[in-house]
Amino acid sequence: MRRIWGCVCLVGLSLTALALGPVRDEAVDLGVLSRIRDEGFNRSKVMDTASYLCDVIGPRLTGSPAYRKAHEWTKDQLSAWGLKEARMEAWDFGRGWTLEHASVHMTQPTPAPLLAVPLGWSAGTKGAVRGKAMKVKLESEQDLANYRGKLTGMILLTGEAPTLKVHERVEYDRYSEEELEELSQYRIEPSRGAPGSPGVNFREEYARRRQFTEALNKFLSEEKPLALVAAGGNDGGNVRLIRGPQRAGESSPVPHLVMAAEHYTRIARLLDRKIEVELELDLRVKLTDQEEKGYNTIADIPGTDLKDEVVLLGGHLDSWHPGTGATDDASGVSVVMEAVRILNALEIKPRRTIRVGLWGGEEQGFLGSRAYVTQHLATRAEPTDPEERKQPEFMRRERGELQLKPEYSKFSVYFNLDNGTGKIRGIYLQGNAAVQPIFEAWLKPVADLGASTTTLRNTSGTDHIPFDSVGLPGFQFIQDSVEYMSRTHHTNMDVFDRLQREDLMQASVIMAWFAYNAAMRDDLVPRKPMPPQNPERRPPSE
Ligand SMILES: [Zn+2]
């Protein structure tokens, strides 16, 4: 067993209040790394885990029976691998919705099967129903007034037909060395929310859209069109969900479908030629009568001398429903489960407790990870300004004061994986300069696996955000996109076949290695300075 020593940058540490104190070299245990690599590359179960989630359990929309089954199965599986206190922690969600059947056909002018998927929480139809297709633009109150009384029984094509172009380049993407170098350079973000900044308009635009959505839903319940149809975000038979007028956990007034672009454009061209188009829809959905619980699957590898302190790894177990949620985010869940399976198989006795958190409700706004933060770590007081209180949390300019729970001071770090199947190329530091030399020391001996980049840039859009927003270290890794944006993200083709075995094995090894290092180092992972209006926390070396 050999230890190597990473370089610690004094300048980086002195920049943050909480990193003050004794400066140490960051030691890493290469003997343990060899064992992690051996277990992760030679006896991997990551694809088996992912296949069970995708193929056997299937899509896992929050609040659906399959979603609950996924939490139960992961809890049981983690227990079977020897993790301790595997449990499901519940939080309030809303009504559950499951898609049971969707069949969409053109019946006039010529018959044709059509590829279309209802949005989550869409209404169903009462058996097979037929209606005439009609192009509409429902984007303003004036549009609604113009169409009043004209839409009953119609199937509405909303939005312009997309222009489809030939795919000139390969839609498979990995970071080049130049792109990673560029990513490592800091970029000052445009300001949001300060007076005179673009953020003010963004907020007004959000309020305007919210108001319009309410008006649109009221209009649709009165007008009773048979359905709304939008073009899916991709082409090539790839149907990507779009944002609909209904909110998760609440039913929509009429069925709302997303259709494959090529089928949508054909109908649009027929209508442009003034040829009548009749469609037949048969949509069976199940909306539960009662409010469902959301869950987080939690399980631990108990720590030893620092067992009250927690290193947390996570991904989200919920998915959208058109595919089987393979790259979003069975991949992250399988990697996190594999990382703790590896560490447990090696009978590692970590100093801190290594905990798995498999979240629900990520797709509806990080609901599970937020619930974990609220239940265990910190809550925020409501803003004092009544206008601010009306805003959703992410739009508020005034953030309420943090109220810390006892576990807050014992929390070390959260590592998240939720950017598809692509292997880990490095890590976003969320502006936390003090962690850079530490993570660089951990990445150095896995550089041969392609992971070596750190960037102080922020990334957003997934479950590290609730931790970061209460001042705790929460990080998402930099991952190769592979086919995430071109093919799988929120589409009907987000399925097991798109998962890349070598990428997921690499990510599992790096996740296990990061968890091990965070659990073994003397101090907690350094935190960013808290915003001044919020209470101070203890320094990491306390
Ligand atoms: Zn997603």
Side-chain angles (χ1 to χ4, degrees):
M1 201 180 288
R2 180 176 154 245
R3 294 167 88 85
I4 62 163
W5 304 91
C7 151
V8 168
C9 166
L10 273 163
V11 178
L13 282 176
S14 65
L15 282 174
T16 68
L18 291 169
L20 290 175
V23 175
R24 294 185 187 88
D25 285 341
E26 190 68 24
V28 290
D29 187 331
L30 295 183
V32 169
L33 177 58
S34 302
R35 295 173 66 211
I36 290 173
R37 290 170 75 129
D38 175 51
E39 181 68 25
F41 294 144
N42 296 317
R43 286 172 292 284
S44 178
K45 289 195 165 40
V46 70
M47 296 307 278
D48 191 46
T49 304
S51 164
Y52 198 93
L53 288 169
C54 298
D55 298 332
V56 183
I57 297 177
R60 305 168 297 282
L61 192 68
T62 307
S64 68
Y67 163 78
R68 192 190 156 99
K69 190 173 161 199
H71 278 291
E72 285 164 352
W73 180 77
T74 49
K75 173 177 77 76
D76 293 346
Q77 187 60 66
L78 289 162
S79 269
W81 285 340
L83 272 84
K84 301 291 182 260
E85 292 190 52
R87 57 203 182 270
M88 282 160 63
E89 294 184 353
W91 40 272
D92 292 331
F93 177 60
R95 292 174 76 187
W97 181 92
T98 310
L99 175 62
E100 297 191 328
H101 176 95
S103 114
V104 182
H105 285 78
M106 182 158 73
T107 45
Q108 295 289 344
T110 55
L114 302 173
L115 182 52
V117 185
L119 293 182
W121 289 273
S122 162
T125 58
K126 294 191 177 75
V129 292
R130 289 185 181 191
K132 300 256 182 296
M134 175 182 181
K135 281 169 86 174
V136 294
K137 182 165 153 283
L138 300 174
E139 290 165 12
S140 67
E141 303 267 356
Q142 187 56 50
D143 292 339
L144 304 189
N146 294 345
Y147 284 114
R148 192 164 286 284
K150 297 174 185 159
L151 304 184
T152 308
M154 306 297 282
I155 295 173
L156 310 179
L157 271 66
T158 59
E160 288 298 314
T163 306
L164 306 186
K165 298 197 173 116
V166 71
H167 297 212
E168 286 182 31
R169 53 181 283 270
V170 177
E171 292 181 332
Y172 158 85
D173 209 10
R174 290 192 186 274
Y175 281 111
S176 66
E177 288 308 316
E178 295 72 38
E179 286 166 335
L180 286 171
E181 173 56 28
E182 199 277 324
L183 184 58
S184 74
Q185 299 300 306
Y186 192 65
R187 191 177 55 193
I188 298 169
E189 301 289 336
S191 159
R192 261 184 25 182
S197 76
V200 173
N201 293 337
F202 183 55
R203 198 159 109 145
E204 280 167 9
E205 176 59 17
Y206 178 79
R208 191 194 67 75
R209 271 197 218 164
R210 205 158 59 147
Q211 208 177 3
F212 177 67
T213 298
E214 276 171 33
L216 175 64
N217 279 334
K218 184 165 175 289
F219 173 81
L220 293 172
S221 10
E222 290 162 2
E223 283 293 310
K224 298 189 174 44
L226 268 190
L228 265 60
V229 184
N234 282 4
D235 63 8
N238 190 295
V239 182
R240 171 167 290 157
L241 290 186
I242 53 151
R243 197 173 284 276
Q246 69 274 359
R247 289 188 197 166
E250 294 172 15
S251 60
S252 68
V254 296
H256 196 151
L257 299 157
V258 184
M259 186 178 281
E262 291 87 345
H263 292 168
Y264 188 96
T265 52
R266 181 179 175 199
I267 299 169
R269 285 190 300 271
L270 287 167
L271 294 174
D272 288 345
R273 288 174 179 270
K274 311 278 183 247
I275 296 172
E276 275 200 350
V277 177
E278 185 189 65
L279 304 181
E280 183 183 272
L281 317 172
D282 187 359
L283 310 173
R284 274 171 255 152
V285 302
K286 198 171 194 173
L287 190 69
T288 61
D289 293 329
Q290 77 281 359
E291 305 266 303
E292 299 294 324
K293 291 284 180 198
Y295 299 97
N296 296 324
T297 300
I298 310 288
D300 294 344
I301 301 176
T304 50
D305 63 318
L306 300 172
K307 64 177 184 311
D308 292 343
E309 298 183 353
V310 172
V311 169
L312 183 64
L313 319 176
H316 69 90
L317 202 44
D318 68 297
S319 76
W320 286 112
H321 54 286
T324 57
T327 66
D328 188 13
D329 181 29
S331 48
V333 166
S334 305
V335 162
V336 164
M337 289 177 70
E338 175 68 2
V340 291
R341 187 200 67 76
I342 291 169
L343 294 173
N344 211 59
L346 300 181
E347 298 183 9
I348 299 277
K349 298 279 175 254
R351 299 185 65 194
R352 296 185 178 82
T353 294
I354 297 174
R355 176 168 295 169
V356 179
L358 308 178
W359 319 118
E362 191 273 350
E363 299 293 4
Q364 290 78 40
F366 320 143
L367 301 180
S369 50
R370 273 187 209 284
Y372 181 88
V373 168
T374 306
Q375 289 164 357
H376 292 270
L377 299 167
T379 51
R380 267 194 197 279
E382 285 290 293
T384 47
D385 179 350
E387 274 307 304
E388 288 296 305
R389 274 206 292 271
K390 283 189 212 154
Q391 297 289 334
E393 208 178 338
F394 63 92
M395 279 286 169
R396 288 174 181 171
R397 288 194 200 112
E398 181 199 331
R399 303 166 88 197
E401 197 174 335
L402 268 188
Q403 292 153 351
L404 307 184
K405 306 220 162 190
E407 287 178 54
Y408 189 91
S409 65
K410 305 282 187 191
F411 186 86
S412 181
V413 63
Y414 172 61
F415 294 116
N416 190 70
L417 203 74
D418 182 24
N419 284 178
T421 188
K423 68 179 174 182
I424 291 175
R425 306 302 304 273
I427 189 161
Y428 294 96
L429 306 178
Q430 303 295 129
N432 184 343
V435 297
Q436 192 157 31
I438 299 168
F439 291 172
E440 280 176 356
W442 299 353
L443 286 171
K444 205 169 168 193
V446 290
D448 67 321
L449 302 179
S452 55
T453 301
T454 61
T455 177
L456 280 162
R457 289 189 199 182
N458 291 327
T459 188
S460 63
T462 191
D463 288 304
H464 64 294
I465 292 295
F467 296 88
D468 186 64
S469 68
V470 297
L472 291 171
F475 304 100
Q476 159 69 35
F477 289 96
I478 299 166
Q479 293 176 253
D480 278 336
S481 174
V482 187
E483 299 171 312
Y484 201 47
M485 296 326 293
S486 58
R487 195 197 275 252
T488 63
H489 185 240
H490 296 185
T491 75
N492 55 335
M493 288 301 150
D494 189 10
V495 293
F496 180 80
D497 310 76
R498 308 260 67 89
L499 295 176
Q500 301 304 307
R501 172 177 168 270
E502 290 77 10
D503 289 66
L504 296 184
M505 286 165 69
Q506 183 260 23
S508 305
V509 163
I510 291 173
M511 182 68 87
W513 176 233
F514 265 60
Y516 174 76
N517 286 316
M520 298 305 282
R521 70 194 303 274
D522 287 336
D523 298 333
L524 297 175
V525 167
R527 300 174 182 189
K528 289 188 281 192
M530 292 284 272
Q533 74 272 23
N534 292 316
E536 279 299 324
R537 302 136 308 152
R538 69 168 191 156
S541 53
E542 196 178 282

